[in-house]
Amino acid sequence: MSQYDVAVIGSGPAGASAAYSLAKKGISTVLIEKETLPRYKTCGGGFVFRGRRNMPFDISPVVEREFYQINLYFENEEMMLTTKRDVPVISMVMRDDFDHFIIKKAKELGVEVKEGHKLTGITFGEVPTLHTSQGDIQAKMIIAADGALSPTAKMAGWKETRKLIPALEYEVEVSPEDFERLSQEVRFDVDTIPHGYAWSFPKKNHLSLGVASARKVRIDLKAHYRKYVEKLGIKEVISEKAHGFQIPVAPRTDGFYRNNVFLIGDAAGFADPVTAEGISNAILSGQLVVEAIAESELNPQKAGDLYQSKLEEDLLPEVITGVSVSKWFYSQRMIRNFLMKKYGDYFISAMTDVFIGDRSYPKDLMKSLKRKIKELV
């Protein structure tokens, strides 16, 4: 039976970059992926600069487009907010190419990649045994990077305490005229879907369009998507492929380590609660767990404690504050729009600073907003 220091489950950006960093530190690592690589992954594919700047290598070969500004539209309001930066605020990637690029970098450092290995169970002991569709593997520690559904987390005993919101994404080929017009901007359309937003992300030769609700409710996402296509003025859809998914926009409340298993990325619930962008925090959480494992000298319990402290210092305050901001932003439409008309330039500039990593969500943001509301009413 093959034995490793660490087994990483899932080869998305979180898992692949964590495997790369582990190997760079000389820690024997296996990357377990149920699919055959490269594989399509449902995702808008917008990678904000705060994540890109944290990558340990250049990802330019798999970036399809770069945008130095984003545009924020508000439904039924004569209002559009925008701001520019001198770095690519958001880079467009296709996840099959992006993920596979990171995996190849990891393999170059000695990571063993086992694709087509579906995890079917875990026997927990002093050294856990992972049972896969193609045999057993032993590893001292396990990193669960297997996304929103995370079978690994369920096998390790976690209950569902995250908040998951529904989203629908389409890869859409449109006419050359429509593509030329719509490929000039990245746009978010707030309230195009109740308590949520729609997005238009231009890729190399097609559009990634989607809708997401910030509330966990039953909603006809397809109908709202169709209305969004009409709103964008798309006259001809040559082809489109739909992909429904759920996005965890609030972290788990029962910890991120147990039974030699660490949760990162969507498995932990670390997507940005305001924008639902998950790649950058997924990569960051992977970096934090690798630091914890290395500093612990491969002691699982010590690594678990270190990982928790690193999360509490660096990532959790940001995500938890984002949860409060998101709840206010998507549920207080009238007050929000009134404030946006007065302070919109400040808001979009601050959000862009968050996207590029120059600032985080301030911990006292909700206090500031409530104070401004009291001043205005």
Side-chain angles (χ1 to χ4, degrees):
M1 188 188 308
S2 300
Q3 296 186 4
Y4 304 86
D5 292 326
V6 181
V8 181
I9 314 300
S11 64
S17 60
Y20 173 92
S21 298
L22 286 163
K24 200 165 187 178
K25 292 182 179 293
I27 299 170
S28 66
T29 305
V30 61
L31 184 62
I32 299 173
E33 169 57 49
K34 66 179 180 179
E35 305 289 347
T36 300
L37 302 170
R39 78 316 181 226
Y40 178 83
K41 180 67 176 178
T42 303
C43 178
F47 187 28
V48 295
F49 190 70
R50 69 177 173 186
R52 185 170 176 177
R53 75 195 300 183
N54 284 333
M55 293 296 294
F57 45 77
D58 180 29
I59 64 162
S60 297
V62 289
V63 173
E64 299 206 345
R65 287 178 181 267
E66 295 177 335
F67 292 88
Y68 290 74
Q69 72 178 65
I70 55 174
N71 296 334
L72 187 63
Y73 296 83
F74 293 81
E75 192 77 2
N76 300 323
E77 299 285 345
E78 295 297 324
M79 177 170 50
M80 189 271 280
L81 304 178
T82 187
T83 187
K84 294 183 179 181
R85 292 293 186 271
D86 57 3
V87 296
V89 177
I90 188 165
S91 302
M92 295 300 158
V93 299
M94 291 300 295
R95 282 287 305 278
D96 49 355
D97 294 333
F98 179 60
D99 296 3
H100 201 228
F101 183 76
I102 305 174
I103 293 165
K104 287 190 290 185
K105 292 287 187 181
K107 290 175 71 174
E108 290 171 4
L109 292 183
V111 172
E112 187 167 349
V113 178
K114 294 186 179 293
E115 53 186 290
H117 282 60
K118 181 180 179 180
L119 185 67
T120 57
I122 305 174
T123 298
F124 294 100
E126 184 174 346
V127 178
T129 300
L130 297 96
H131 309 291
T132 81
S133 56
Q134 296 195 43
D136 292 350
I137 298 166
Q138 282 194 323
K140 296 176 184 176
M141 286 171 277
I142 302 164
I143 296 176
D146 47 352
L149 299 180
S150 190
T152 310
K154 296 173 184 175
M155 294 175 191
W158 269 280
K159 303 301 181 182
E160 186 54 81
T161 60
R162 299 165 299 169
K163 176 185 177 183
L164 293 96
I165 62 172
L168 184 63
E169 181 246 357
Y170 285 77
E171 305 290 358
V172 185
E173 183 183 358
V174 298
S175 68
E177 295 77 17
D178 282 337
F179 183 72
E180 174 61 27
R181 174 173 57 85
L182 293 169
S183 65
Q184 304 306 309
E185 67 170 346
V186 169
R187 62 182 291 167
F188 295 89
D189 291 79
V190 179
D191 298 328
T192 293
I193 180 171
H195 303 287
Y197 67 95
W199 68 85
S200 175
F201 289 175
K203 301 297 178 60
K204 184 183 296 183
N205 51 25
H206 75 281
L207 303 173
S208 288
L209 306 178
V211 290
S213 172
R215 286 188 174 181
K216 188 178 180 180
V217 294
R218 294 182 64 86
I219 189 169
D220 190 343
L221 293 174
K222 288 185 178 180
H224 288 289
Y225 163 75
R226 291 298 172 198
K227 291 179 180 178
Y228 188 53
V229 170
E230 293 178 9
K231 178 179 180 177
L232 294 177
I234 295 174
K235 297 181 177 62
E236 179 185 5
V237 173
I238 297 173
S239 67
E240 61 182 3
K241 295 180 181 178
H243 307 276
F245 59 114
Q246 296 184 82
I247 307 172
V249 292
R252 293 184 185 270
T253 61
D254 53 353
F256 308 97
Y257 169 80
R258 62 176 63 176
N259 296 326
N260 293 43
V261 178
F262 304 80
L263 303 183
I264 64 174
D266 280 351
F270 290 152
D272 186 303
V274 179
T275 65
E277 186 271 328
I279 302 176
S280 57
N281 280 346
I283 291 171
L284 175 58
S285 61
Q287 291 172 339
L288 295 177
V289 79
V290 171
E291 291 174 7
I293 289 171
E295 291 171 17
S296 75
E297 298 180 341
L298 304 185
N299 180 306
Q301 185 58 56
K302 186 177 179 181
D305 294 340
L306 282 169
Y307 181 47
Q308 182 68 33
S309 66
K310 289 176 182 292
L311 289 173
E312 291 174 355
E313 178 182 351
D314 200 343
L315 197 153
L316 280 175
E318 170 106 352
V319 176
I320 291 170
T321 301
V323 170
S324 297
V325 175
S326 176
K327 183 178 180 180
W328 173 84
F329 188 81
Y330 292 112
S331 65
Q332 302 293 330
R333 178 173 178 170
M334 292 182 62
I335 296 174
R336 179 205 64 207
N337 286 350
F338 182 71
L339 288 172
M340 289 301 104
K341 289 174 182 177
K342 293 181 68 68
Y343 305 108
D345 289 341
Y346 168 80
F347 174 82
I348 191 66
S349 180
M351 284 299 300
T352 303
D353 285 343
V354 171
F355 290 161
I356 66 176
D358 282 354
R359 69 184 295 175
S360 62
Y361 293 119
K363 296 179 182 179
D364 62 347
L365 180 58
M366 292 309 296
K367 293 181 181 178
S368 299
L369 289 170
K370 290 176 181 178
R371 185 170 60 250
K372 287 186 180 297
I373 291 170
K374 287 181 179 179
E375 292 172 357
L376 292 168
V377 298

